[in-house]
């Protein structure tokens, strides 16, 4: 099953970690992403750390009005920002997250780069086996 690294802005990773945000919106998703897939959450600049792992409980793929009605309130953004983010598209994806496991010690980009050659994705990437091994040894809060 796919393990995917998602780059997410810090204000949204904080909402995921606090439990206020349970849906991650995406314009596109990998065709290998499925229910039960693990999402590795990389908090972008200025944080630059892997902060948590979550599982995909459900994948919502709908026309924008329906997507907003179903998951908008769980996404941590306003309706205006939602429609701005999906501008030019007719439909979008909402990844419903569950089982969010927060790393006791977030993994810094600098040390990940040095130890396993990790490069954060623009949007998403598949987790390399070295990163998966690294995370299997990490401790979670």
């Amino acid at each position: 099953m796919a393990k995917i690294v998602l780059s997410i802005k810090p204000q949204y990773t904080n909402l995921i970690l606090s439990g206020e945000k349970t849906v991650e919106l995406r314009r596109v998703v990998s065709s290998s992403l499925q229910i039960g897939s693990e999402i590795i959450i990389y908090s972008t600049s200025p944080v630059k750390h892997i902060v948590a792992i979550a599982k995909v409980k459900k994948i919502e793929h709908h026309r924008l009005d329906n997507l907003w009605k179903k998951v908008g309130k769980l996404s941590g953004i306003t309706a205006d920002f939602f429609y701005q983010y999906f501008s030019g598209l007719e439909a979008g994806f909402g990844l419903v997250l569950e089982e969010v496991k927060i790393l006791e010690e977030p993994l810094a980009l600098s040390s990940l780069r040095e130890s396993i050659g990790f490069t954060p994705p623009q949007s998403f990437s598949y987790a390399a086996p070295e990163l998966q091994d690294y995370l299997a040894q990490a401790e979670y809060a």
Side-chain angles (χ1 to χ4, degrees), residues 16-28:
I16 291 169
L17 300 181
S18 73
E20 294 175 63
K21 175 179 168 70
T22 57
V23 173
E24 174 61 16
L25 298 170
R26 290 288 155 154
R27 293 173 57 93
V28 295

Side-chain angles (χ1 to χ4, degrees), residues 3-7 40 118-128 131:
K3 291 188 183 194
I4 300 207
V5 181
L6 288 183
S7 288
I40 298 163
F118 175 75
T119 301
Q122 250 336 72
S123 176
F124 74 89
S125 67
Y126 297 101
L131 178 59

Side-chain angles (χ1 to χ4, degrees), residues 7-14 24 26 42-45 81:
S7 288
I8 303 174
K9 292 181 179 177
Q11 67 261 39
Y12 303 120
T13 58
N14 290 339
E24 174 61 16
R26 290 288 155 154
Y42 173 76
S43 190
T44 62
S45 185
F81 189 81

